[in-house]
């Protein structure tokens, strides 16, 4: 028998975009919790043309072996924004739960908590957590960066600036709202498509609720890969700066640099200190102040 809490939501589509990641345990955990909900639900897994074909097949086999699961393998890589739009187009139900593939369910009540909160706002963000200890050597930059933000992960902190703290890592949204806004597919590669989405939510007066229902983020990249992704993210921010505006701390600092007519200074710093900054950031003890300076110098170079 369904409880009153479970009756708050009529149906749920769980959408997981995948690229070169084993998400079989995530599929199994979500499928089990979905069965307990007692409402119509589906899990859609969409592979964005992974280069690791063994992982693609592994995910496909597990997804297709579970009831209420569908698997899509795209023939061309379309990117983080477009694949989320694609899954929304394929979804059947009125509520969409977007989850990144490199995550793990930490609570047996994970889906139920989203169900209970579903009617309290058009968008519900559950948050994320990272490992207390660095999982392996070589990921120091991403690990330290995420660890520095640990105090900002709580629902109470995120609620102080609900739109600025929006992240696509884990969020529930009304399908009608998503279809009206959608992710901007001009974003290529990693970074800032969720910043713009949060900005669009605010501009359209869409209600957003932050709750403490975190997923664990497992995908900590090697420092060199993360630094390359960061440069791509900075490029995205630069190319969409007129839309994002002050929704990004980096762009806020960049606009101050322009106001003070100091862009030349940071371009010179990039010329003389790029290699030394990268040596620090790729080393065993990266400094986050250097990381911030690196991003600011890079955007001034563009």
């Amino acid at each position: 028998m369904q409880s009153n809490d479970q009756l708050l939501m009529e149906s749920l589509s769980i959408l997981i975009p995948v690229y070169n990641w084993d998400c079989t345990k995530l599929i199994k955990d979500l499928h089990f919790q979905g069965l307990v909900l007692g409402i119509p639900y589906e899990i859609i897994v969409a592979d964005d043309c992974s280069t690791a074909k063994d992982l693609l097949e592994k995910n496909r086999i597990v997804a297709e072996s579970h009831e209420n699961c569908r698997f899509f393998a795209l023939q061309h890589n379309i990117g983080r924004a477009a694949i989320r739009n694609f899954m929304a187009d394929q979804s059947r139900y009125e509520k969409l739960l977007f989850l990144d593939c490199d995550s793990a369910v930490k609570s047996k009540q994970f889906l139920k908590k989203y169900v209970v909160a579903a009617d309290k706002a058009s968008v519900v963000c559950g948050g994320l957590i990272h490992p207390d200890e660095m999982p392996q050597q070589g990921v120091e930059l991403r690990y330290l960066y995420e660890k520095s933000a640990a105090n900002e992960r709580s629902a109470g902190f995120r609620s102080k600036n609900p739109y600025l703290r929006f992240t696509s890592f884990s969020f529930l949204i009304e399908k009608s709202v998503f279809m009206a806004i959608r992710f901007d597919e001009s974003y290529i590669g990693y970074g800032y498509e969720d910043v713009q989405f949060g900005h669009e939510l605010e501009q359209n007066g869409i209600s957003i609720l932050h709750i403490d229902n975190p997923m664990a983020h497992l995908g900590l990249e090697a420092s060199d890969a993360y630094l390359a992704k960061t440069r791509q993210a900075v490029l995205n921010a630069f190319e969409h700066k007129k839309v994002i505006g002050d929704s990004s701390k980096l762009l806020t600092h960049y606009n101050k640099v322009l106001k003070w007519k100091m862009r030349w200074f940071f371009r010179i710093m990039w010329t003389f200190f790029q290699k030394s900054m990268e040596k620090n950031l790729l080393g065993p003890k990266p400094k986050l102040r250097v990381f911030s300076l690196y991003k600011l110098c890079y955007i001034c170079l563009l």
Side-chain angles (χ1 to χ4, degrees):
M1 180 179 295
Q2 294 176 320
S3 69
N4 290 334
D5 285 342
Q6 290 173 316
L7 289 172
L8 289 176
M9 184 193 293
E10 295 181 3
S11 55
L12 174 66
S13 293
I14 303 170
L15 312 178
I16 308 172
V18 184
Y19 183 75
N20 288 347
W21 191 267
D22 181 353
C23 63
T24 53
K25 187 177 188 307
L26 179 61
I27 295 170
K28 294 175 183 177
D29 290 344
L30 292 170
H31 180 265
F32 178 78
Q33 290 196 18
L35 292 175
V36 177
L37 287 178
I39 61 173
Y41 80 97
E42 65 176 348
I43 299 174
I44 297 177
V45 181
D47 184 280
D48 197 10
C49 196
S50 290
T51 57
K53 301 305 179 183
D54 56 332
L55 292 179
L56 186 155
E57 287 304 314
K58 187 176 182 180
N59 291 331
R60 182 206 300 273
I61 291 171
V62 170
E64 293 181 347
S65 67
H66 285 74
E67 185 182 6
N68 301 330
C69 292
R70 288 186 285 155
F71 186 89
F72 294 89
L74 304 188
Q75 298 303 307
H76 303 282
N77 184 275
I78 61 175
R80 294 164 54 89
I83 196 168
R84 285 171 170 81
N85 292 342
F86 168 80
M87 289 190 295
D89 291 336
Q90 304 303 317
S91 65
R92 297 168 175 161
Y93 297 131
E94 61 177 21
K95 295 284 187 176
L96 308 179
L97 176 58
F98 286 90
L99 301 172
D100 278 12
C101 66
D102 57 343
S103 61
V105 176
K106 301 301 292 182
S107 168
K108 294 180 180 179
Q109 303 296 315
F110 174 73
L111 288 184
K112 184 178 179 180
K113 288 181 180 179
Y114 265 126
V115 167
V116 171
D119 284 359
K120 297 179 181 179
S122 296
V123 180
V124 182
C125 296
L128 69 153
I129 56 175
H130 286 83
D132 293 330
E133 298 181 358
M134 191 167 63
Q136 69 264 358
Q137 299 296 315
V139 300
E140 289 85 356
L141 178 59
R142 182 67 187 266
Y143 174 75
L144 290 176
Y145 179 76
E146 299 297 347
K147 186 178 180 180
S148 70
N151 294 332
E152 302 175 1
R153 302 297 190 196
S154 70
F157 187 92
R158 286 182 278 128
S159 297
K160 294 177 182 178
N161 293 287
Y163 298 99
L164 291 177
R165 294 293 171 179
F166 171 83
T167 172
S168 60
F169 184 79
S170 171
F171 73 101
L172 180 74
I173 186 170
E174 295 174 0
K175 184 174 181 177
S176 59
V177 172
F178 182 87
M179 299 304 280
I181 298 178
R182 301 171 70 89
F183 282 100
D184 185 340
E185 296 185 13
S186 66
Y187 283 83
I188 304 300
Y190 172 83
Y192 284 89
E193 72 282 347
D194 52 354
V195 175
Q196 179 167 328
F197 193 85
H199 178 74
E200 296 284 350
L201 292 174
E202 183 175 21
Q203 292 298 304
N204 286 276
I206 306 300
S207 60
I208 184 170
L209 172 68
H210 289 273
I211 63 173
D212 284 315
N213 189 28
M215 296 280 280
H217 183 209
L218 306 178
L220 298 181
E221 310 94 333
S223 294
D224 56 347
Y226 183 54
L227 200 58
K229 287 176 65 174
T230 296
R231 289 192 296 270
Q232 176 61 60
V234 172
L235 178 59
N236 276 348
F238 178 79
E239 291 181 340
H240 296 85
K241 57 184 180 294
K242 291 183 179 179
V243 179
I244 298 175
D246 289 336
S247 296
S248 161
K249 287 183 179 180
L250 175 62
L251 289 179
T252 298
H253 295 319
Y254 176 68
N255 288 332
K256 289 181 180 179
V257 170
L258 295 182
K259 181 180 179 180
W260 297 334
K261 299 181 179 180
M262 292 290 291
R263 186 181 175 197
W264 61 271
F265 174 78
F266 291 96
R267 296 179 73 153
I268 290 176
M269 288 197 67
W270 178 268
T271 300
F272 286 97
F273 297 106
Q274 175 193 358
K275 291 184 178 180
S276 60
M277 286 191 291
E278 290 179 349
K279 182 178 180 181
N280 171 264
L281 297 176
L282 298 176
K285 296 182 179 180
K287 296 180 180 179
L288 296 182
R289 288 184 178 180
V290 174
F291 191 38
S292 296
L293 179 62
Y294 183 86
K295 289 185 284 186
L296 186 57
C297 289
Y298 186 67
I299 197 171
C300 288
L301 187 72
L302 299 176

